[in-house]
Amino acid sequence: MSAKQRHRKRKMEFIGSWILVVTFLLLLIGFVFLFLKPDVATENDEEIETVEICVIQPESIELEECVEEKSQVVIESVEPFGTIDFIPIDAEDTYISDEIQTLCIEIGEQTRYCPEFLMSIIESESSGRKYAENGPCKGVMQINTDWPEIAEYMEQHGYTDIYDYETNIRLGCYVLDLKREIYGDDIYAVLMGYNGSSDVIERVENGNYTDYAINVVNRTWELERLHEKTQRRFSNDFI
């Protein structure tokens, strides 16, 4: 074999080697592209899921704004954040007797107090016990018999038995009227005054509401929801 033929052979071998290298690189690039393609699709799927989750958020915000807006109907001067809770799934209806519930409905219609509001006060004050006593406070709505206004009201209306359900509930509505003359229609202030809290005005200004007032309001809401009165929450009939 001549030198010229050997040179041509080496040249062909060199070209063949480069063809193999280029072919290998092309195959490698194709393999990498195919390997990464599923990851791209997964990222796209994750982006779609994220968008779907974000769509739910405006409904939650709208509900929170609705709750805050309704709570301002009664609480004009202050906004006690965190005092209103959503009705628990396992919330139970009132346990007070049917007789008391009927009187709460009848007297509530006459005095413009929400029946569930009166029921909630009775639950908190006496658990519906007719002869409940705590010092001078007596009956289902724990009327303070030391108040001279109570004796005058009973004499004026011919009431003789402080423990009588109807008498006691009507006296409770009378006491609520007296507290509203002092504190207006701020339901938390009225309830704190009814329960004998001191420095009510100062506490209202600082948003320092008592557990008693908060629990009565929340329980009233529960009972209204259970009695399918969702449109009356914080309405003028509430207090």
mmCIF file of all heavy atoms in Angstrom, residues 17 35 49 95 99 106 113 118 122-123 134 136 146 207 213 238:
data_model
loop_
_atom_site.group_PDB
_atom_site.id
_atom_site.type_symbol
_atom_site.label_atom_id
_atom_site.label_comp_id
_atom_site.label_asym_id
_atom_site.label_seq_id
_atom_site.Cartn_x
_atom_site.Cartn_y
_atom_site.Cartn_z
ATOM 1 N N SER A 17 -14.889 8.566 12.645
ATOM 2 C CA SER A 17 -14.906 8.758 14.104
ATOM 3 C C SER A 17 -15.753 9.957 14.488
ATOM 4 O O SER A 17 -16.543 9.928 15.434
ATOM 5 C CB SER A 17 -13.473 8.924 14.614
ATOM 6 O OG SER A 17 -12.720 7.770 14.336
ATOM 7 N N PHE A 35 -36.462 12.966 28.365
ATOM 8 C CA PHE A 35 -36.449 12.744 29.816
ATOM 9 C C PHE A 35 -37.015 13.935 30.585
ATOM 10 O O PHE A 35 -37.697 13.787 31.594
ATOM 11 C CB PHE A 35 -35.008 12.458 30.261
ATOM 12 C CG PHE A 35 -34.887 12.246 31.749
ATOM 13 C CD1 PHE A 35 -35.226 11.035 32.312
ATOM 14 C CD2 PHE A 35 -34.445 13.273 32.579
ATOM 15 C CE1 PHE A 35 -35.123 10.821 33.668
ATOM 16 C CE2 PHE A 35 -34.345 13.068 33.945
ATOM 17 C CZ PHE A 35 -34.679 11.847 34.491
ATOM 18 N N GLU A 49 -53.204 23.828 39.192
ATOM 19 C CA GLU A 49 -53.798 23.571 40.491
ATOM 20 C C GLU A 49 -53.731 24.792 41.388
ATOM 21 O O GLU A 49 -54.655 25.100 42.112
ATOM 22 C CB GLU A 49 -53.079 22.394 41.160
ATOM 23 C CG GLU A 49 -53.312 21.066 40.459
ATOM 24 C CD GLU A 49 -52.507 19.960 41.097
ATOM 25 O OE1 GLU A 49 -51.751 20.249 42.048
ATOM 26 O OE2 GLU A 49 -52.621 18.806 40.648
ATOM 27 N N TYR A 95 -82.305 24.090 75.995
ATOM 28 C CA TYR A 95 -82.785 23.012 76.862
ATOM 29 C C TYR A 95 -83.831 23.516 77.849
ATOM 30 O O TYR A 95 -84.362 22.728 78.636
ATOM 31 C CB TYR A 95 -81.622 22.398 77.637
ATOM 32 C CG TYR A 95 -80.773 23.431 78.353
ATOM 33 C CD1 TYR A 95 -81.158 23.967 79.579
ATOM 34 C CD2 TYR A 95 -79.592 23.886 77.773
ATOM 35 C CE1 TYR A 95 -80.402 24.913 80.218
ATOM 36 C CE2 TYR A 95 -78.825 24.848 78.413
ATOM 37 C CZ TYR A 95 -79.225 25.362 79.633
ATOM 38 O OH TYR A 95 -78.476 26.323 80.264
ATOM 39 N N GLU A 99 -92.557 25.699 78.229
ATOM 40 C CA GLU A 99 -93.338 26.799 78.797
ATOM 41 C C GLU A 99 -92.548 28.103 78.761
ATOM 42 O O GLU A 99 -93.072 29.158 78.385
ATOM 43 C CB GLU A 99 -93.744 26.479 80.240
ATOM 44 C CG GLU A 99 -94.591 27.570 80.880
ATOM 45 C CD GLU A 99 -94.978 27.239 82.318
ATOM 46 O OE1 GLU A 99 -94.618 26.133 82.782
ATOM 47 O OE2 GLU A 99 -95.632 28.077 82.964
ATOM 48 N N GLU A 106 -93.894 34.967 73.192
ATOM 49 C CA GLU A 106 -95.013 35.881 73.387
ATOM 50 C C GLU A 106 -94.546 37.236 73.931
ATOM 51 O O GLU A 106 -94.915 38.294 73.387
ATOM 52 C CB GLU A 106 -96.023 35.260 74.363
ATOM 53 C CG GLU A 106 -96.724 34.022 73.807
ATOM 54 C CD GLU A 106 -97.664 33.390 74.830
ATOM 55 O OE1 GLU A 106 -97.701 33.876 75.986
ATOM 56 O OE2 GLU A 106 -98.352 32.406 74.474
ATOM 57 N N TYR A 113 -88.154 42.301 71.924
ATOM 58 C CA TYR A 113 -86.894 41.605 72.157
ATOM 59 C C TYR A 113 -86.940 40.254 71.449
ATOM 60 O O TYR A 113 -87.937 39.533 71.533
ATOM 61 C CB TYR A 113 -86.634 41.398 73.650
ATOM 62 C CG TYR A 113 -86.211 42.656 74.369
ATOM 63 C CD1 TYR A 113 -87.074 43.301 75.249
ATOM 64 C CD2 TYR A 113 -84.956 43.208 74.151
ATOM 65 C CE1 TYR A 113 -86.693 44.459 75.898
ATOM 66 C CE2 TYR A 113 -84.571 44.373 74.791
ATOM 67 C CZ TYR A 113 -85.451 44.993 75.661
ATOM 68 O OH TYR A 113 -85.068 46.149 76.282
ATOM 69 N N LEU A 118 -83.812 36.374 74.709
ATOM 70 C CA LEU A 118 -84.304 36.123 76.058
ATOM 71 C C LEU A 118 -83.957 34.706 76.506
ATOM 72 O O LEU A 118 -83.563 34.481 77.661
ATOM 73 C CB LEU A 118 -85.819 36.339 76.109
ATOM 74 C CG LEU A 118 -86.323 37.747 75.743
ATOM 75 C CD1 LEU A 118 -87.842 37.799 75.786
ATOM 76 C CD2 LEU A 118 -85.722 38.795 76.660
ATOM 77 N N ILE A 122 -81.652 33.585 79.788
ATOM 78 C CA ILE A 122 -82.155 32.636 80.790
ATOM 79 C C ILE A 122 -81.202 31.458 80.949
ATOM 80 O O ILE A 122 -80.930 31.008 82.072
ATOM 81 C CB ILE A 122 -83.564 32.148 80.394
ATOM 82 C CG1 ILE A 122 -84.566 33.302 80.543
ATOM 83 C CG2 ILE A 122 -83.991 30.954 81.246
ATOM 84 C CD1 ILE A 122 -85.949 32.988 80.016
ATOM 85 N N GLU A 123 -80.673 30.956 79.834
ATOM 86 C CA GLU A 123 -79.691 29.868 79.926
ATOM 87 C C GLU A 123 -78.486 30.301 80.755
ATOM 88 O O GLU A 123 -78.006 29.546 81.609
ATOM 89 C CB GLU A 123 -79.237 29.442 78.531
ATOM 90 C CG GLU A 123 -80.250 28.630 77.748
ATOM 91 C CD GLU A 123 -79.687 28.138 76.425
ATOM 92 O OE1 GLU A 123 -78.521 28.490 76.110
ATOM 93 O OE2 GLU A 123 -80.386 27.402 75.727
ATOM 94 N N ASN A 134 -79.323 33.837 93.718
ATOM 95 C CA ASN A 134 -77.930 34.223 93.922
ATOM 96 C C ASN A 134 -77.947 35.545 94.683
ATOM 97 O O ASN A 134 -77.938 36.613 94.103
ATOM 98 C CB ASN A 134 -77.192 34.366 92.590
ATOM 99 C CG ASN A 134 -75.726 34.706 92.780
ATOM 100 O OD1 ASN A 134 -75.184 34.547 93.879
ATOM 101 N ND2 ASN A 134 -75.093 35.202 91.733
ATOM 102 N N PRO A 136 -79.622 38.511 96.239
ATOM 103 C CA PRO A 136 -80.917 39.142 95.976
ATOM 104 C C PRO A 136 -81.467 38.848 94.587
ATOM 105 O O PRO A 136 -82.590 39.240 94.266
ATOM 106 C CB PRO A 136 -80.612 40.633 96.128
ATOM 107 C CG PRO A 136 -79.177 40.759 95.724
ATOM 108 C CD PRO A 136 -78.516 39.497 96.205
ATOM 109 N N ASP A 146 -83.257 43.818 95.254
ATOM 110 C CA ASP A 146 -82.817 44.964 96.060
ATOM 111 C C ASP A 146 -83.084 46.284 95.348
ATOM 112 O O ASP A 146 -83.021 47.342 95.970
ATOM 113 C CB ASP A 146 -81.323 44.852 96.386
ATOM 114 C CG ASP A 146 -81.055 43.854 97.507
ATOM 115 O OD1 ASP A 146 -82.034 43.418 98.145
ATOM 116 O OD2 ASP A 146 -79.886 43.516 97.735
ATOM 117 N N GLY A 207 -63.094 48.167 74.288
ATOM 118 C CA GLY A 207 -63.399 46.875 73.676
ATOM 119 C C GLY A 207 -63.209 45.710 74.626
ATOM 120 O O GLY A 207 -62.999 44.575 74.202
ATOM 121 N N ALA A 213 -71.319 38.691 78.274
ATOM 122 C CA ALA A 213 -71.947 39.398 77.154
ATOM 123 C C ALA A 213 -71.647 38.706 75.832
ATOM 124 O O ALA A 213 -72.538 38.516 74.990
ATOM 125 C CB ALA A 213 -71.464 40.845 77.112
ATOM 126 N N PHE A 238 -83.410 42.087 67.693
ATOM 127 C CA PHE A 238 -82.455 41.332 68.526
ATOM 128 C C PHE A 238 -82.407 41.937 69.927
ATOM 129 O O PHE A 238 -82.304 41.247 70.916
ATOM 130 C CB PHE A 238 -81.086 41.379 67.865
ATOM 131 C CG PHE A 238 -80.069 40.470 68.493
ATOM 132 C CD1 PHE A 238 -79.996 39.159 68.117
ATOM 133 C CD2 PHE A 238 -79.191 40.940 69.437
ATOM 134 C CE1 PHE A 238 -79.049 38.314 68.683
ATOM 135 C CE2 PHE A 238 -78.254 40.120 70.017
ATOM 136 C CZ PHE A 238 -78.178 38.802 69.624
#
